[in-house]
Amino acid sequence: MAKVRTTTSKVDGFRMPGEHEPQEAVWIAWPERPDSWRWGAKPAQSAFVEVAKVIAEETQVNMIVSAGQYDNARQQLPPHIRVVEMSTNDSWMRDMGPSYVVNDEGERRGVDWQFNAWGGLLDGLYFPWDADDAIARKVCEFHGDDSYRAPLVLEGGSIHVDGEGTAFTTEECLLDPSRNPDLSKADIEQYLKDYLNVDKVIWLPHGLYNDIDTNGHVDNLMHVARPGEVVLSWCDDPEDPQYAISREALAVLDNTTDAKGRKLKIYKLPVPGPLYIRDDEADGFDVCEGMERSSGVRLAGSYANFLITNRRIVFPLLCEKRDAEAQAMLQDIFPGYDIVGVPAREILLGGGNIHCITQQVPAL
């Protein structure tokens, strides 16, 4: 029977594996919230189905679905994708799901962070968020895995790890007063070390330009390809605000070493667009105080928001002018992997992308 542990990953000898390590399953949560997703989430559901199908060719996909949407989801998804009924407030699985940790004896546990909808009552996107906050524990119980309830408000998209002792995050997100206002940067870093079992945290100043829903999650700015190698969202237009953010991040990454003392190899992956919400795309959303979905708003589009799952890279198709270039670059970065693009603008309109809607479970 799955238990909630009162110790930490570090004390118990568990570490968070890198996304490049073998996976047993990937979890996704079915979209239906009408203020997050336009036209009752029907276009988003179609996009989620295509993402799930591509992942399921390589890795078992478990789709979380509410009771009211169960039959609809089951009909749209192929039989080999498992549909699991659970209650949610929305569908950002990366942020509400467990961050899994493993040990050398083949055991697996989940880190259950505190979730407050990206800012709680100060800056959150919606209320309530209690169903989302319960998802990590439920996923762990589904797999029969013990979990740790970490005393830290944190979303999974705000961290990346290399599996060998290094974590990456942004000051913009983790130091935002809407997360853990009573904790210092040193306090937060210690919690990351304790619950991810890492030795070094590399802090980037900012996330991707205008990634306001998440307060600048690191997974929209960069990705860890493998230990010692990272993919960074890059912009060559000096007039674009992303230009300075990319160079600021590069300066940090280029002037540090990872937990093993390696100098990082940095791949510059161009950002799409810039992309903006079109007039027709601003229609169909229910009114919500926490989310801005107006025509002309700059979208936080990024090719770095991809998923590594076993021998496959699933990345978002976002821009006809740049999609092929992004795919070719990812193929160079990940030799031996299938690089599969999925149309993902509907997911982006909701405020994130493929990495944001997925959460992997490491293989035992």
Side-chain angles (χ1 to χ4, degrees):
M1 183 176 178
K3 297 183 291 187
V4 177
R5 300 278 178 162
T6 57
T7 52
T8 67
S9 309
K10 193 176 208 63
V11 167
D12 295 341
F14 284 75
R15 66 172 179 93
M16 185 174 175
E19 206 170 299
H20 60 281
E21 297 184 50
Q23 298 172 14
E24 176 184 311
V26 170
W27 286 80
I28 306 177
W30 189 253
E32 60 175 292
R33 189 182 179 99
D35 52 4
S36 289
W37 309 101
R38 66 194 189 118
W39 303 124
K42 297 310 173 189
Q45 288 170 7
S46 297
F48 275 52
V49 167
E50 293 309 308
V51 171
K53 285 179 178 178
V54 168
I55 296 169
E57 291 173 0
E58 194 67 48
T59 308
Q60 171 67 48
V61 171
N62 300 330
M63 182 71 74
I64 291 174
V65 180
S66 70
Q69 282 288 312
Y70 188 95
D71 290 340
N72 176 40
R74 183 67 282 174
Q75 185 173 349
Q76 292 193 54
L77 292 162
H80 58 281
I81 291 178
R82 185 183 288 126
V83 177
V84 183
E85 185 180 317
M86 290 185 196
S87 300
T88 62
N89 302 111
D90 203 0
S91 46
W92 301 103
M93 196 64 203
R94 177 66 51 182
D95 292 345
M96 61 186 175
S99 298
Y100 261 98
V101 291
V102 297
N103 68 8
D104 294 337
E105 280 71 58
E107 297 175 296
R108 183 176 64 199
R109 294 175 184 172
V111 179
D112 176 10
W113 310 103
Q114 297 179 31
F115 179 80
N116 74 350
W118 308 273
L121 297 178
L122 179 64
D123 191 30
L125 300 191
Y126 49 75
F127 177 87
W129 53 77
D130 55 325
D132 285 353
D133 190 38
I135 285 293
R137 177 176 53 82
K138 291 179 180 180
V139 168
C140 291
E141 289 184 356
F142 178 94
H143 288 286
D145 298 326
D146 290 358
S147 62
Y148 301 96
R149 178 62 168 174
L152 186 70
V153 174
L154 184 137
E155 306 94 38
S158 69
I159 54 170
H160 265 310
V161 300
D162 66 356
E164 294 189 359
T166 311
F168 300 82
T169 191
T170 67
E171 295 177 348
E172 180 182 354
C173 180
L174 262 58
L175 302 187
D176 191 282
S178 66
R179 299 309 199 278
N180 299 282
D182 297 329
L183 299 179
S184 67
K185 181 178 179 179
D187 293 334
I188 294 169
E189 181 165 317
Q190 191 58 54
Y191 279 129
L192 294 178
K193 290 178 176 178
D194 289 342
Y195 284 91
L196 301 175
N197 195 1
V198 295
D199 300 311
K200 184 166 186 175
V201 179
I202 296 175
W203 294 82
L204 302 178
H206 296 98
L208 200 79
Y209 175 67
N210 215 37
D211 192 2
I212 53 176
D213 282 359
T214 73
N215 303 103
H217 272 187
V218 76
D219 72 344
N220 218 22
L221 177 70
M222 60 153 285
H223 208 301
V224 177
R226 58 189 67 86
E229 301 182 25
V230 299
V231 181
L232 175 64
S233 293
W234 193 252
C235 175
D236 278 322
D237 179 7
E239 302 301 314
D240 191 320
Q242 184 57 42
Y243 180 90
I245 293 172
S246 294
R247 277 152 185 79
E248 179 184 57
L250 177 65
V252 173
L253 295 168
D254 210 24
N255 288 284
T256 190
T257 55
D258 66 14
K260 299 294 186 186
R262 291 174 292 227
K263 184 172 173 59
L264 296 170
K265 183 173 184 179
I266 304 160
Y267 301 96
K268 299 173 182 175
L269 185 65
V271 293
L275 308 173
Y276 301 89
I277 298 178
R278 302 191 305 262
D279 290 347
D280 61 304
E281 292 173 331
D283 294 334
F285 290 97
D286 282 9
V287 174
C288 175
E289 291 182 7
M291 290 178 269
E292 176 67 32
R293 301 288 185 263
S294 303
S295 178
V297 169
R298 169 95 175 244
L299 292 162
S302 167
Y303 291 120
N305 204 296
F306 58 83
L307 174 73
I308 308 173
T309 180
N310 294 321
R311 302 305 297 177
R312 174 161 289 196
I313 306 296
V314 185
F315 82 102
L317 297 174
L318 296 169
C319 174
E320 288 184 1
K321 295 179 180 179
R322 285 285 173 85
D323 287 347
E325 179 185 2
Q327 179 157 2
M329 279 200 67
L330 289 169
Q331 190 66 77
D332 288 341
I333 297 167
F334 296 97
Y337 281 74
D338 293 326
I339 313 296
V340 184
V342 182
R345 188 170 175 100
E346 284 297 336
I347 306 173
L348 179 59
L349 288 170
N353 227 290
I354 289 172
H355 196 257
C356 305
I357 67 168
T358 54
Q359 181 63 266
Q360 71 277 0
V361 178
L364 292 175

